[in-house]
Amino acid sequence: MNAKTTSTPTSTIAGKPAGDGLRFYGIWLAGIAVLIVLPLIFSSGGSLTSFSLIGIAIVFALSYNILLGQTGLLSFGHAVHYGLGGFAACHMMNAAVSHGWPIPLPFIPLFGGLGGLVFAIIIGWLMTKRAGTVFSMISLGIAELVASSSLILRSVFGGESGISTDRTALPKIFGLSFGPQLQVYYLIAFWLVISAVAMYALTRTPLGRISNAVRDNPERVQFIGYDPHVVRYIAFCFAGFFAGVAGGLAAINFEIANAAYLGAIQSGLVLFSTFIGGVAYFFGPILGAILVTYLQLGLTSVTGVWQLYFGIIFIGIVMLSPGGIAGLVMMHRPLVRAGTLPTVIPSYLIAAVPTLALACGVILTIESISRTHSGQGNPINLFGVAFSPASPLTWASAAVLLIGGFFVARLSWRRVAEAWDRAATVARDRGYLA
């Protein structure tokens, strides 16, 4: 192989800012510090449970992005590896207790990862022969097959009741029983850091780079001597392993694994999290998992049609910002570096008012329709104001907010676009935009 293709030019190394490495490690250390301090600030049981669920969702979303963002494989059945990892973790915990094996709880997520990995090894070679629509349809079919089998194979999946376990029955490590939710949170946070670091390191390896190439142009990859099928298969196995780790963490947190772990809803949620957060950036799925989990926990307690709101958010992201939340954030980076972002903020603040009014109109309309048709007369509490679903005033208010907010928002966002163009032009002149 030509040495010029493998060596790194000295000028590139010398030209790299010395502060980039410190900034990189600083971001990771800051994230770890947040994970450590967070339960000390929000110490209630509900907060600890929410943080634990968010940590599990982040690992799951990052594993899915190995397929979607890194390799370009849209899977509709990623929850299979998540669920099988959860069942493998439950079975291992029960076996360790019954046989007296010296396996502490912190090692159980590894067995969950192995559960997801083994299934990925078995089915992955066939699934990854083709990408695109073929892969998506095969993943959907296998997901439905496994989910249906979970209700039939009772010895493995426990039927409708699932497999329960007791995390406190395993041998203690450092005197920790993992009974309190705080200890479980720190266990999840530990595995979140390990998994995130490992998955980020994977993106920087030659395998991660060639996976990007397979995503963008598999024909060229094959031309330079790599087999796209093998690359997709290896990436699929890595994704299955880390999804299994997330499933093992979920089994530890809930002390049960059931058919819901394998269902289409679970696959849909991880797809929403990854795409809404943004597949082009590593931190995109992290943002998406935080948002989707927080919305799921918050919306399920106030409305019965929370899935509809998820669908609206997903459609809005697809239409208005295909790059997701991370893409929106990174769009502003050149303006921040050029110092022109303050010129755009006033236009954002002006546009936020009619946009919020439009959102309120959508909420009022959806809740009025759903509660009227379901026979519920509960008032709609919107920012402290109670609206009766059957009142004509509520419907009139919804119409005014919808129509008025839509037209005013269109005008105001045009001003945002003009302010953005001016700021981007200045930033480009200063050398911060290509």
Side-chain angles (χ1 to χ4, degrees), residues 119-134:
F119 189 74
I121 292 173
I122 295 173
I123 67 170
W125 187 257
L126 175 62
M127 287 185 61
T128 56
K129 280 183 174 294
R130 299 284 297 275
T133 306
V134 175

Side-chain angles (χ1 to χ4, degrees), residues 35-36 55 183-194 249:
L35 292 176
I36 294 174
Q183 296 180 8
V184 176
Y185 163 79
Y186 279 120
L187 174 61
I188 294 174
F190 170 78
W191 274 101
L192 167 60
V193 173
I194 296 298
L249 293 174

Side-chain angles (χ1 to χ4, degrees), residues 115-296:
L117 174 62
V118 169
F119 189 74
I121 292 173
I122 295 173
I123 67 170
W125 187 257
L126 175 62
M127 287 185 61
T128 56
K129 280 183 174 294
R130 299 284 297 275
T133 306
V134 175
F135 175 84
S136 299
M137 293 299 100
I138 294 176
S139 68
L140 179 61
I142 290 179
E144 292 301 316
L145 175 64
V146 175
S148 301
S149 301
S150 65
L151 300 176
I152 301 173
L153 303 176
R154 295 181 177 273
S155 60
V156 179
F157 299 103
E160 296 181 355
S161 59
I163 302 295
S164 59
T165 186
D166 182 9
R167 62 174 180 252
T168 61
L170 271 74
K172 295 182 180 181
I173 182 172
F174 303 120
L176 300 176
S177 64
F178 295 99
Q181 187 63 37
L182 180 62
Q183 296 180 8
V184 176
Y185 163 79
Y186 279 120
L187 174 61
I188 294 174
F190 170 78
W191 274 101
L192 167 60
V193 173
I194 296 298
S195 301
V197 170
M199 283 185 273
Y200 181 80
L202 179 64
T203 65
R204 317 307 295 178
T205 61
L207 174 63
R209 300 301 191 186
I210 203 66
S211 296
N212 297 157
V214 169
R215 174 197 63 196
D216 298 332
N217 197 330
E219 289 81 8
R220 176 171 289 186
V221 170
Q222 191 170 14
F223 179 76
I224 63 176
Y226 291 94
D227 188 352
H229 177 208
V230 175
V231 175
R232 288 193 294 261
Y233 177 63
I234 296 175
F236 185 81
C237 291
F238 273 109
F241 173 79
F242 286 108
V245 170
L249 293 174
I252 292 173
N253 185 65
F254 295 109
E255 297 182 291
I256 191 173
N258 52 34
Y261 283 35
L262 304 162
I265 294 178
Q266 200 71 40
S267 294
L269 286 175
V270 72
L271 172 60
F272 285 175
S273 300
T274 307
F275 200 92
I276 289 174
V279 299
Y281 301 94
F282 182 79
F283 68 93
I286 298 176
L287 298 178
I290 294 173
L291 175 64
V292 169
T293 306
Y294 181 78
L295 288 178
Q296 184 184 10

Side-chain angles (χ1 to χ4, degrees), residues 276-278 281 283 287 316-317 320-335 341 348 413 420:
I276 289 174
Y281 301 94
F283 68 93
L287 298 178
I317 291 293
L320 303 177
S321 178
I325 300 174
L328 288 176
V329 172
M330 296 304 292
M331 280 175 55
H332 296 79
R333 185 181 181 185
L335 303 188
L341 182 61
Y348 276 144
W413 280 104
W420 177 273

Side-chain angles (χ1 to χ4, degrees), residues 405-429:
F406 174 76
F407 285 105
V408 178
R410 286 193 64 182
L411 296 175
S412 60
W413 280 104
R414 288 177 183 174
R415 294 189 58 183
V416 172
E418 295 172 358
W420 177 273
D421 289 340
R422 291 192 296 268
T425 300
V426 175
R428 188 179 298 108
D429 293 340

